[in-house]
Structure formats: C-alpha cells, structure tokens
Amino acid sequence: MRDEEIIDLYFRRDEMAIAETDNKYGNYCEKIAGNILKDNLDVEECVNDTYLKTWNKIPPTRPKIFKAFLAKITRELAFDRYRSLTSKKRGNGVIEEVLEELEECIPDHSDVEQEILGSELAVIVRDFVNSLSEKEAFIFLSRYFYAEDLSSISKKFDMSKNNVSVTLGRLRRRLQNELVKEGYLAS
C-alpha cells in the first residue's frame, strides 16, 4: 500500500492504518528503536507508542514523507525511553558516546529560548547535512540520527572503524564551525 493511502486511512480514523503502517514500516521502526534501546521488550513498546503517537498526530498533520515522520517519532520516543531507564548498561554505551560526541558541538539550553533555538538549530543541522557528500551524510546520519555503533557503520561503508571515527570527528568540527559561523555558538 502506498504511503498516501495509509495516511488517508488515518484521516478516515480506520484502524487498518496501524496494521498497514506496521506491515510497511514495522521493521524500520524496530531498527531505529533497537539501535537506541538494545532491549526487545523496550523496542516493542517504543514501536507501539510510535503507532499511538502517529494515530494522535494524523489528523491534523499530513506528513509529506511518511517514513521520515515515523522515524522522527520513533527516535524521539526511543531516546525518551532511554533517558527514563537511566541505566549505563543499556545501549552498550553507544548512546552515551553519541551524545558526548555531539555535546562539543551542540550545547544544552534549558530556558524559555529552547524552542526557538531548537528550531534554528534544526535548520542549521539540516543545511549542514545537505551540504555534505552523499557518503558523509549517510555516515553522519547513521551515527547521529540512527545511533548506529562504529562497527556497523564501518561494515556498511567498507571502511575501517578508525576511518569512520576520524570522518565523524571531522564532520563534528565542520558542524561546530558552521554553528559558530551562524552565531549559534560562541567561538
């Protein structure tokens, strides 16, 4: 079934929308949640929460890219669940690594300006990723959106683990420079 047809099911409040979403994108959502949570029960619960949140958002939202819409919801829920578990053992330390790596580029804002700064940051990061070569963009997104570990990225791109690490370091420095240039970070 095409994405537009699935979205129409949501708009008609037809419960088949969830079944069709699961048929088409269930494995995809499980992969995203699994990269973050590393526990099958947590992953299953996260994916179910994704379907519920999707049901509550559509309507009124009509996603342009349904797969990306689901990925964003799944990722946010998985990170929320991960934070609530607060166990260092979960995720084999990958999540801590990912967050620590990005911490040098993206500071934490916890005041009223957070929402505005978050929107500005999203635009800057999106433009940054769009400026990368296809391979660099896939490496960056594999690590920082899908939270994949260095070993799986190195296999996927037929690179050494060290080469992936160096590439990611360079990309983080470029992102940091871009954030300074845009006035988001002080130099």
Side-chain angles (χ1 to χ4, degrees):
M1 184 174 269
R2 291 186 3 239
D3 288 354
E4 297 79 25
E5 295 170 319
I6 297 172
I7 292 168
D8 287 340
L9 290 174
Y10 280 101
F11 269 87
R12 290 195 305 263
R13 305 315 284 165
D14 185 334
E15 292 182 13
M16 282 301 299
I18 294 172
E20 292 298 332
T21 301
D22 186 52
N23 286 339
K24 188 166 184 180
Y25 293 114
N27 291 338
Y28 177 68
C29 292
E30 287 172 8
K31 175 76 171 150
I32 293 169
N35 285 342
I36 297 166
L37 297 171
K38 306 291 187 200
D39 178 86
N40 290 336
L41 291 175
D42 290 336
V43 168
E44 183 179 339
E45 189 170 329
C46 181
V47 171
N48 287 334
D49 289 347
T50 296
Y51 299 151
L52 176 63
K53 193 164 186 175
T54 301
W55 180 264
N56 290 332
K57 284 184 170 266
I58 303 175
T61 304
R62 183 173 282 278
K64 289 183 171 76
I65 304 171
F66 191 51
K67 185 176 183 179
F69 181 80
L70 291 170
K72 184 175 189 279
I73 291 172
T74 303
R75 184 176 180 274
E76 287 173 355
L77 289 171
F79 272 117
D80 287 348
R81 182 156 189 81
Y82 178 84
R83 283 185 210 101
S84 74
L85 295 171
T86 63
S87 173
K88 285 277 190 185
K89 293 179 186 173
R90 296 215 184 243
N92 295 326
V94 173
I95 304 305
E96 287 85 8
E97 283 178 26
V98 168
L99 295 175
E100 285 173 15
E101 289 171 11
L102 282 178
E103 203 172 70
E104 65 191 47
C105 300
I106 302 170
D108 180 28
H109 295 283
S110 46
D111 56 16
V112 191
E113 298 175 86
Q114 182 175 7
E115 195 167 319
I116 294 168
L117 292 173
S119 297
E120 291 173 358
L121 177 62
V123 170
I124 294 167
V125 173
R126 183 198 64 216
D127 291 346
F128 170 75
V129 171
N130 287 337
S131 75
L132 300 175
S133 71
E134 186 175 351
K135 184 177 182 179
E136 289 174 329
F138 280 124
I139 291 170
F140 187 87
L141 291 173
S142 293
R143 181 67 169 165
Y144 300 119
F145 186 83
Y146 294 106
E148 292 183 25
D149 62 29
L150 295 178
S151 296
S152 65
I153 296 170
S154 67
K155 288 176 192 163
K156 188 188 298 184
F157 295 100
D158 195 29
M159 299 168 66
S160 71
K161 195 172 164 183
N162 185 55
N163 196 347
V164 170
S165 181
V166 169
T167 300
L168 288 168
R170 288 180 183 145
L171 293 174
R172 286 192 309 275
R173 279 190 296 284
R174 285 172 52 190
L175 174 59
Q176 187 174 24
N177 290 338
E178 188 64 27
L179 292 170
V180 169
K181 185 177 108 185
E182 293 291 329
Y184 192 83
L185 287 178
S187 54

